[in-house]
């Protein structure tokens, strides 16, 4: 894993040399701060991990859809994995090459298919027979050819949080692997379709990546059977799901996975696609918040800050644990929960008993918040989403400003 970009210097936490206290003073809080160098470093490391195989890294835009983050990765020649018409528009705007975009998701609408065909995307990741038939009809109507890969559901347990497990038969994702050959045979009889590959994505944040090894075995066997039957496949997509260390654990790395699956993939002669999201941007970002109050309800101590589940939903949704540190160096610890300003008891940023002993007016940084942070933020309780800042070397650039209340209300009508 690339070197962590956040470290203390001259008494304050810094992002590649820029003081987070300075960023908070300039742009306010809550604010996400991302390190461009860390994102570049992670991309190059993943690229090297797969360099013994023909491969393409398709950044999973949902992890951090900010246009500047996307354009940074597009500039490194990454492809993109998108999951809606909105993400497709964003990926195109950010400069990803259309033919390097894969479109995933179990619920694509006709208009999303039309937009993607107009853009000339590389591949639709198809998740059901109904979707296959609609895609064929939409492409044929337009005299176009839709390249597709079936997303198979290998019924392999990713052994991660149940909410982010996607490769079990009990989840809505993909087509049972046993039915896949029949779907390709059907597709060969339908107009407007061309089989481009096979794919899967079995889960996210898999600390132990061996379920991917197991599932890749099945996927590779399917690809080889399809090739024998004359299907013109060009790629095999192993999905994303690479883990980052949120605590002190040492999760498996892309390099370890690539080494294990290389012998299964090499004989196929296909381009290996992978769709990392979290691994490329997760540790590259923090959320900075300012302390509003300290309070005590009986035995329970709270540090109330100006961004909560509206800014970072992961702790409330998954009880995810992000490290929380003081921006000022050498703060002591105290027994307290860090909570946000939202009117919900689940509005907690850190359930851990210990927290930095900071006073009102001071800053906290929630670490490893670059992935699924801003992208799951909301305006709940009438709070604007956080601002976003990209640090590149010594320069801190505002890449998304905080919206005003007027801007948030602007689309509403009828008053
Ligand atoms: N490909 C597909 C088809 C996906 O559905 C996903 C993530 C990815 C790739 C990228 O997965 P990654 O490499 O980032 O693990 N909100 C949750 C994570 C949900 C992931 C959904 N799909 C969280 O905050 O942990």
């Amino acid at each position: 894993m690339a070197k962590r970009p956040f470290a203390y210097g001259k008494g304050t936490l810094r992002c590649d040399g820029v003081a987070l206290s300075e960023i908070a003073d300039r742009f306010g809080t809550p604010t996400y701060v991302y390190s461009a160098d860390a994102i570049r470093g992670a991309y190059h490391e993943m690229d090297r991990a797969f360099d013994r195989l023909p491969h393409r890294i398709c950044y999973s835009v949902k992890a951090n859809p900010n246009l500047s983050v996307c354009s940074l990765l597009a500039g490194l020649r990454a492809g993109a994995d998108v999951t809606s018409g909105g993400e497709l528009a964003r990926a195109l705007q950010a400069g990803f090459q259309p033919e390097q975009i894969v479109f995933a998701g179990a619920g694509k609408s006709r208009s999303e298919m039309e937009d993607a065909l107009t853009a000339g995307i590389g591949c639709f990741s198809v998740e059901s027979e109904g979707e296959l038939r609609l895609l064929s009809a939409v492409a044929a109507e337009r005299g176009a050819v839709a390249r597709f890969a079936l997303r198979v559901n290998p019924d392999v347990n990713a052994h991660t949080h149940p909410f982010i497990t996607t490769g079990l038969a009990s989840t809505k994702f993909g087509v049972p692997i046993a039915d896949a050959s029949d779907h390709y045979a059907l597709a060969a009889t339908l107009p407007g379709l061309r089989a481009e590959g096979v794919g899967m994505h079995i889960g996210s944040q898999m600390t132990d990546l061996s379920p991917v090894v197991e599932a890749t075995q099945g996927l590779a066997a399917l690809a080889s059977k399809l090739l024998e039957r004359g299907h013109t496949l060009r790629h095999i997509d192993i999905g994303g799901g690479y883990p980052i260390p949120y605590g002190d654990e040492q999760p498996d790395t892309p390099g370890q996975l690539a080494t294990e699956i290389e012998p299964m993939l090499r004989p196929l002669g296909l381009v290996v696609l992978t769709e990392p999201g979290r691994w490329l941007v997760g540790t590259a970002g923090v959320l900075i918040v300012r302390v509003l109050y300290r309070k005590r309800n009986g035995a329970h101590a709270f540090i109330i800050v100006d961004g909560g589940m509206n800014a970072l939903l992961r702790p409330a949704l998954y009880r995810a644990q992000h490290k929380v540190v003081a921006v000022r160096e050498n703060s002591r610890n105290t027994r307290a929960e860090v909570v946000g300003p939202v009117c919900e008891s689940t509005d907690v940023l850190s359930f851990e008993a210990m927290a930095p002993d900071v006073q009102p007016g001071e800053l906290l940084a929630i670490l490893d918040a670059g992935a699924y942070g801003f992208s799951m933020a909301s305006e709940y309780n009438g709070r604007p989403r956080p601002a976003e800042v990209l640090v590149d070397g010594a320069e801190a650039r505002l890449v998304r400003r905080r919206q005003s209340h007027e801007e948030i209300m602007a689309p509403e009508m009828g008053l």
Side-chain angles (χ1 to χ4, degrees):
M1 171 121 279
K3 161 175 104 51
R4 284 188 185 248
F6 297 91
Y8 288 100
K10 297 188 199 141
T12 178
L13 192 61
R14 293 172 176 273
C15 176
D16 297 331
V18 181
L20 294 186
S21 48
E22 219 179 282
I23 291 178
D25 288 345
R26 271 178 75 194
F27 304 111
T29 51
T31 290
Y32 279 98
V33 182
Y34 313 122
S35 157
D37 270 349
I39 297 172
R40 286 187 197 104
Y43 179 82
H44 290 311
E45 189 173 335
M46 179 148 302
D47 200 26
R48 277 196 303 275
F50 282 94
D51 68 1
R52 290 188 305 277
L53 289 163
H55 68 276
R56 179 170 313 133
I57 298 170
C58 293
Y59 170 55
S60 196
V61 168
K62 63 176 83 62
N64 187 328
N66 184 281
L67 285 172
S68 299
V69 169
C70 287
S71 116
L72 180 73
L73 284 158
L76 299 174
R77 307 174 78 87
D81 153 48
V82 301
T83 200
S84 68
E87 283 189 358
L88 172 63
R90 215 164 245 287
L92 294 169
Q93 175 86 13
F96 287 105
Q97 295 302 308
E99 64 277 10
Q100 300 196 352
I101 296 177
V102 295
F103 191 166
K108 297 178 202 74
S109 68
R110 167 181 272 269
S111 73
E112 286 177 322
M113 289 176 180
E114 286 168 352
D115 290 349
L117 284 169
T118 304
I121 67 157
C123 189
F124 289 83
S125 177
V126 169
E127 301 211 19
S128 64
E129 183 184 327
E131 187 189 335
L132 198 60
R133 289 185 184 277
L134 180 60
L135 184 60
S136 157
V138 174
E141 269 166 31
R142 304 163 64 93
V145 174
R147 290 176 276 180
F148 79 94
L150 211 61
R151 171 169 172 181
V152 303
N153 183 321
D155 200 19
V156 166
N157 192 341
H159 295 294
T160 179
H161 192 290
F163 291 7
I164 50 176
T165 294
T166 53
L168 279 177
S170 55
T171 68
K172 70 178 173 189
F173 298 101
V175 169
I177 194 160
D179 301 345
S181 307
D182 290 348
H183 280 72
Y184 282 94
L186 167 68
T189 69
L190 296 174
L193 294 178
R194 195 176 84 210
E196 180 77 4
V198 291
M200 65 176 191
H201 170 77
I202 64 166
S204 201
Q205 184 59 17
M206 291 175 279
T207 314
D208 169 4
L209 283 167
S210 56
V212 182
V213 178
E214 184 189 336
T216 300
Q217 211 145 25
L219 193 65
L222 171 68
S224 136
K225 185 159 94 184
L226 294 170
L227 287 167
E228 271 168 32
R229 294 188 183 168
H231 293 282
T232 54
L233 305 182
R234 291 205 288 212
H235 79 235
I236 179 164
D237 183 346
I238 60 168
Y242 304 88
I244 62 169
Y246 285 100
D248 299 321
E249 71 273 23
Q250 289 204 316
D252 285 352
T253 64
Q256 287 168 316
L257 176 71
T259 305
E260 289 208 43
I261 59 179
E262 190 195 331
M264 305 171 199
L265 297 177
R266 177 172 293 287
L268 299 172
L270 299 173
V271 176
V272 177
L273 255 61
T274 185
E275 303 170 355
R278 187 189 321 263
W279 204 84
L280 295 181
V281 294
T283 54
V286 299
L287 172 66
I288 43 178
V289 292
R290 206 175 277 281
V291 179
L292 298 171
Y293 303 104
R294 297 273 302 254
K295 74 185 269 188
R296 190 171 266 289
N297 284 350
H300 304 278
F302 298 96
I303 298 174
I304 304 177
V305 299
D306 62 2
M309 64 190 287
N310 57 312
L312 178 67
L313 184 61
R314 304 193 71 256
L317 190 58
Y318 312 117
R319 281 191 89 86
Q321 301 217 339
H322 287 252
K323 281 189 178 164
V324 178
V325 301
V327 169
R328 172 172 56 83
E329 194 170 9
N330 291 329
S331 75
R332 286 207 299 264
N333 279 336
T334 182
R335 188 165 291 275
E337 267 190 16
V338 179
V339 299
V342 172
C343 299
E344 298 263 356
S345 296
T346 184
D347 181 31
V348 176
L349 284 177
S350 160
F351 298 93
E352 281 169 3
M354 299 309 279
D357 193 3
V358 282
Q359 296 308 314
E362 287 199 87
L363 296 165
L364 289 176
I366 323 297
L367 303 188
D368 306 313
Y372 307 108
F374 186 92
S375 58
M376 297 202 296
S378 75
E379 288 155 9
Y380 184 40
N381 274 200
R383 295 184 175 279
R385 275 175 253 228
E388 293 176 287
V389 168
L390 184 65
V391 172
D392 200 350
E395 189 208 358
R397 191 159 56 89
L398 186 65
V399 291
R400 182 182 165 116
R401 64 183 162 75
R402 206 178 306 283
Q403 283 175 297
S404 67
H405 302 309
E406 289 68 30
E407 283 174 301
I408 291 173
M409 289 186 281
E412 296 178 37
M413 297 176 292
L415 195 69

